[in-house]
């Protein structure tokens, strides 16, 4: 291993996992940019109190710890492939898009900087003329701005009218006009290339399961789905890895935080077909419907939380020491626990649930309800 002085500056040849079929090998990326601390650990923690009588503990795959504070979370695994492609193509700038508190935009800005690239971020705001100015260091904005990213704000209406692809293309076009070489990264890094990051993550989990007998009890794996790549990569990777070993794979549950399950099955099916795992998007979708249960955990809306969700997150932090964010991981575990409580998901005796923690803590700065009440605050007087 070389020293940290070469961090994020050197492409490494990618060896696809042994379970990848020839049709997908043909699309596998040639190289990646090492950005993550891998493998991420798997910790055993108490389960949320609402399900503790049915599921005493929870295994947590710590993808919140893929990188340091500014890089951590699931997006870094996708960026290893996306930024490698940007560098291989000779780009000097990356352009991507997301919500104002997008973890993906923040991780992209910081990873791009580490890799010697500039970043332009298109951020969807309630009020594009004042949202950033009124809280310039709030949560993810602190890190994106510190890394020197250029921020372009758009309204929800503009975002909906043009669509994310067109907005990214428009900024790329402008940058080309200025003599730059931009590389476009879609929302959440969820295209065929970025999704290889989570196929690789599935191979990592398989290797951990083979070397740690305690993980043989993992029969349920739960994760968030937002832009779709994480769930698509894990679903195909885990189903193929376990099939190759001749074992029944764990049941997989993706909880959607923004769109409907039907939307996600279609979108993720299209990604997997493009990656060469299936001949058509329909075939890919049918496979996903067999191996992955997609639930709707959107609640009041993307990045909008109910008091019940916030109370769940704050109670779980007080019980376990684990921080869940309000946009993704908190909604996901809240939804999954309610399914267990209501008997729609059955966890058998001796079976373990593994929650794949995808990060997002920095976005929590924008949700004051997560801290819970102030009953523990005292004025110290000597
Ligand atoms: C983006 C994100 C997700 C969703 O992953 P996708 O690959 O976009 O579906 C989950 N958790 C966190 C914290 C995220 O930032």
């Amino acid at each position: 291993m070389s020293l940290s002085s070469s961090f994020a500056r050197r492409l490494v040849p990618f060896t696809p996992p042994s379970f990848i079929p020839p049709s997908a090998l043909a699309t596998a990326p040639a190289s990646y940019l090492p950005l993550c601390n891998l493998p991420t650990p798997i910790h055993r923690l108490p389960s949320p109190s609402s399900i503790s009588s049915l599921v005493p503990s929870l295994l947590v795959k710590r993808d919140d710890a893929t990188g340091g504070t500014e890089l951590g979370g699931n997006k870094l695994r996708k960026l290893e492939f996306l930024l490698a492609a940007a560098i291989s193509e000779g780009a000097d700038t990356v352009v991507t898009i997301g919500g104002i508190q997008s973890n993906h935009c923040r991780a992209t800005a910081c990873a791009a900087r580490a890799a010697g690239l500039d970043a332009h971020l298109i951020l969807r705001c309630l009020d594009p003329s004042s949202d950033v100015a009124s809280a310039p260091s709030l949560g993810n904005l602190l890190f994106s701005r510190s890394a020197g990213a250029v921020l372009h704000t758009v309204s929800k209406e503009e975002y909906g009218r043009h669509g994310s692809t067109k907005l990214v293309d428009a900024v790329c076009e402008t940058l080309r006009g200025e003599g730059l070489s931009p590389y476009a990264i879609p929302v959440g890094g969820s295209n065929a290339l970025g999704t290889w990051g989570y196929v690789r993550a599935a191979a990592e989990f398989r290797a951990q399961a083979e070397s740690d007998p305690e993980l043989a009890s993992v029969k349920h794996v739960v994760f968030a789905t937002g832009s779709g790549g994480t769930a698509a990569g894990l679903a195909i990777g885990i189903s193929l890895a376990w099939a190759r070993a001749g074992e029944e794979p764990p049941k997989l549950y993706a909880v959607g935080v923004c769109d409907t399950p039907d939307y996600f099955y279609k979108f993720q099916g299209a990604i997997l077909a493009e990656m060469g795992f299936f001949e058509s998007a329909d075939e890919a979708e049918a496979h996903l419907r067999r191996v992955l249960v997609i639930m709707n955990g959107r609640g009041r809306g993307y990045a909008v939380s109910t008091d019940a969700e916030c109370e769940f997150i704050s109670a779980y932090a007080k019980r376990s020491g684990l921080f869940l964010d309000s946009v993704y991981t908190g909604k996901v575990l809240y939804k999954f626990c309610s399914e267990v409580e209501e008997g729609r998901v059955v966890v058998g005796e001796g079976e373990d649930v593994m929650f794949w923690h995808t990060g997002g803590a920095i976005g929590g700065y924008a949700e004051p309800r997560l801290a819970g009440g102030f009953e523990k605050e005292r004025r110290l007087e000597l």
Side-chain angles (χ1 to χ4, degrees):
M1 236 8 237
S2 56
L3 297 175
S4 52
S5 58
S6 63
F7 175 69
R9 297 281 166 152
R10 195 174 37 94
L11 299 188
V12 171
F14 174 55
T15 308
S18 55
F19 56 76
I20 303 299
S23 59
L25 280 180
T27 81
S31 62
Y32 68 101
L33 184 69
L35 295 165
C36 299
N37 300 318
L38 301 178
T40 56
I42 299 174
H43 293 154
R44 189 179 287 280
L45 298 174
S47 62
S49 56
S50 57
I51 62 164
S52 59
S53 61
L54 299 163
V55 182
S57 66
L58 207 59
L59 290 163
V60 182
K61 173 75 168 153
R62 302 298 301 267
D63 272 14
D64 51 331
T66 51
T69 304
E70 78 287 9
L71 295 173
N74 64 338
K75 301 309 179 311
L76 202 60
R77 289 189 187 265
K78 307 180 195 181
L79 287 165
E80 289 195 328
F81 290 102
L82 294 163
L83 293 185
I87 291 166
S88 302
E89 290 179 17
D92 48 32
T93 311
V94 295
V95 179
T96 197
I97 186 162
I100 184 165
Q101 280 298 332
S102 164
N103 301 307
H104 162 70
C105 287
R106 176 262 308 159
T108 301
C110 296
R113 178 57 71 217
L117 303 168
D118 287 325
H120 284 243
L121 309 178
I122 306 167
L123 300 178
R124 187 183 62 236
C125 304
L126 281 177
D127 183 347
S129 59
S130 73
D131 282 359
V132 173
S134 65
S137 62
L138 184 67
N140 284 299
L141 290 175
L142 172 67
F143 297 90
S144 300
R145 296 180 70 240
S146 293
V150 178
L151 310 185
H152 305 254
T153 58
V154 293
S155 69
K156 290 194 164 173
E157 188 273 325
E158 287 159 343
Y159 186 103
R161 176 153 44 96
H162 299 292
S164 63
T165 309
K166 239 179 90 185
L167 292 170
V168 169
D169 288 348
V171 171
C172 286
E173 198 50 48
T174 304
L175 295 177
R176 267 184 227 108
E178 295 169 7
L180 295 168
S181 302
Y183 181 86
I185 297 178
V187 184
S190 286
N191 56 11
L193 182 58
T195 297
W196 278 99
Y198 267 89
V199 173
R200 187 163 170 251
E204 175 183 308
F205 169 43
R206 177 67 206 175
Q208 287 175 307
E210 283 176 8
S211 68
D212 184 351
E214 197 185 340
L215 297 176
S217 56
V218 175
K219 301 295 179 199
H220 309 264
V221 180
V222 189
F223 38 83
T225 185
S227 66
T230 300
L234 288 179
I236 192 65
I238 292 175
S239 60
L240 290 177
W242 265 253
R244 189 183 161 91
E247 293 173 25
E248 183 74 14
K251 292 202 171 88
L252 307 177
Y253 309 86
V255 180
V257 300
C258 44
D259 291 288
T260 63
D262 282 339
Y263 166 85
F264 282 122
Y265 281 122
K266 277 227 145 34
F267 186 82
Q268 294 174 21
I271 293 178
L272 295 182
E274 196 186 329
M275 292 171 82
F277 285 105
F278 299 93
E279 279 188 2
S280 70
D282 286 346
E283 214 182 286
E285 186 184 334
H287 178 81
L288 282 172
R289 287 183 185 272
R290 279 193 299 276
V291 303
L292 174 68
V293 175
I294 304 185
M295 302 170 174
N296 193 339
R298 184 172 179 273
R300 277 183 56 207
Y302 176 74
V304 183
S305 299
T306 63
D307 285 343
E309 288 164 3
C310 292
E311 279 160 24
F312 171 86
I313 291 167
S314 119
Y316 189 54
K318 289 173 174 65
R319 181 176 168 84
S320 68
L322 188 75
F323 189 87
L324 304 172
D325 77 299
S326 51
V327 181
Y328 296 97
T329 53
K331 276 193 178 179
V332 169
L333 205 53
Y334 177 82
K335 173 69 179 173
F336 182 78
C337 288
S338 68
E339 295 291 298
V340 171
E341 266 183 280
E342 288 160 28
R344 283 193 292 272
V345 167
V346 177
V347 178
E349 185 82 31
E351 293 182 356
D352 265 313
V353 175
M354 189 174 87
F355 174 60
W356 204 300
H357 195 314
T358 43
I362 296 170
Y365 285 71
E367 180 46 88
R369 285 176 291 174
L370 296 191
F374 292 105
E375 70 279 1
K376 291 195 176 158
E377 199 171 282
R378 298 174 195 176
R379 172 77 172 93
L380 177 60
E381 289 181 76
L382 296 178

